[in-house]
Amino acid sequence: MNGPEIHVEVAPELRLFVPHARRLGATLLPTDGVSTLGHVVESLGVPLTEVGALVVDGREVPTSHVPAAGERVDVRAVERPQQVPGAPLRFLLDVHLGTLARRLRLLGVDTAYESTDIGDPALAARSAAERRVMLSRDRGLLRRRELWAGAYVYSTRPDDQLRDVLDRFHPDLRPWTRCTACNGVLRDATKEQVADQLKHGTQRSYDVFAQCAQCGRAYWKGAHHDQLEAIVERALAEFTDRG
């Protein structure tokens, strides 16, 4: 790029996307005089899904703004909680986020998940068709224009991933209402209705069951329930009383 030079300052929380040489303070950036500001920001490595506002010389501009020489650009992070207008809040996760998907479902959040790698074009198309927020650590996927909406998952640790998604979007939490395997809705079930999925010890020890209306999987308070209960209690304590 040999055109007008602009001063760009990226919000501290977004600097992890920027090359090391440009992470400290404002950077002088050459442009080609025709590319949009959105394209310029993406060329720095910042997915537009993570940008809350682009402010040029004190005024907010759209991503379609074409920078002029000498402009000072502030690239701000998404404000939290982030609003996603136009559809009920629900998510789509790629193949690398299986644990996060199960934990969101545990909390009753509508979460679709692809357990195999179907490719970025197919994921983006599903996001658009079902109006789901695409959650991914793949910056290339988040740059696809056909996405309905998207968000970068910043951590590799499931505990931190879950906390970040809940903090960013504040979804309604309805624990124990979704199947962690397929995202279907759970309904109460009798022991007789799920007997074919129970071992003799389970039949003797438990009397309260639920069953997925979609895949038929049975649920009860088994050996791992305390671990799941801890995840639910932490999420409810931290996020249900927030405005």
Side-chain angles (χ1 to χ4, degrees):
M1 293 186 178
N2 303 316
E5 289 186 324
I6 59 175
H7 297 267
V8 179
E9 183 158 5
V10 177
E13 53 266 54
L14 299 181
R15 290 176 188 168
L16 77 160
F17 298 112
V18 179
H20 283 278
R22 290 176 170 166
R23 287 187 181 179
L24 296 177
T27 184
L28 191 62
L29 191 68
T31 68
D32 60 10
V34 295
S35 294
T36 66
L37 187 53
H39 177 81
V40 172
V41 170
E42 285 188 324
S43 74
L44 283 172
V46 182
L48 292 181
T49 58
E50 307 312 294
V51 176
L54 296 170
V55 179
V56 174
D57 295 335
R59 62 187 177 91
E60 188 170 341
V61 300
T63 56
S64 59
H65 173 78
V66 177
E71 287 185 339
R72 293 188 173 274
V73 180
D74 289 324
V75 181
R76 299 179 180 175
V78 169
E79 292 187 4
R80 299 187 176 210
Q82 182 179 351
Q83 303 299 314
V84 184
L89 180 61
R90 50 191 182 177
F91 298 101
L92 170 63
L93 279 62
D94 68 19
V95 67
H96 304 292
L97 298 175
T99 300
L100 176 59
R102 288 188 291 274
R103 292 189 179 190
L104 286 169
R105 290 171 176 175
L106 175 67
L107 294 171
V109 179
D110 189 342
T111 305
Y113 164 66
E114 290 292 347
S115 59
T116 57
D117 188 357
I118 64 174
D120 290 0
L123 282 169
R126 183 174 181 185
S127 167
E130 299 180 12
R131 295 189 173 186
R132 292 181 179 271
V133 180
M134 184 79 236
L135 300 183
S136 179
R137 287 180 50 79
D138 183 344
R139 302 181 199 180
L141 171 56
L142 294 176
R143 290 182 63 172
R144 298 193 70 89
R145 294 291 179 257
E146 61 269 39
L147 282 178
W148 166 250
Y152 184 75
V153 176
Y154 287 80
S155 176
T156 58
R157 299 181 66 252
D159 286 348
D160 295 335
Q161 291 174 345
L162 180 62
R163 187 177 299 110
D164 184 47
V165 172
L166 298 182
D167 178 70
R168 178 164 175 170
F169 293 100
H170 286 202
D172 291 334
L173 304 184
R174 299 183 177 89
W176 318 109
T177 61
R178 285 192 177 271
C179 176
T180 56
C182 80
N183 196 45
V185 176
L186 299 184
R187 61 191 179 193
D188 293 337
T190 65
K191 185 181 295 188
E192 290 71 24
Q193 287 174 317
V194 298
D196 60 333
Q197 299 182 52
L198 306 180
K199 297 180 180 179
H200 292 301
T202 302
Q203 287 185 339
R204 291 194 304 269
S205 303
Y206 300 96
D207 294 303
V208 179
F209 299 91
Q211 188 172 30
C212 177
Q214 183 167 313
C215 73
R217 179 172 175 171
Y219 288 85
W220 61 92
K221 294 182 179 180
H224 301 292
H225 183 76
D226 288 348
Q227 299 174 22
L228 301 178
E229 185 73 49
I231 293 171
V232 169
E233 288 182 353
R234 283 197 301 268
L236 292 178
E238 189 168 358
F239 295 102
T240 54
D241 294 329
R242 301 174 62 170

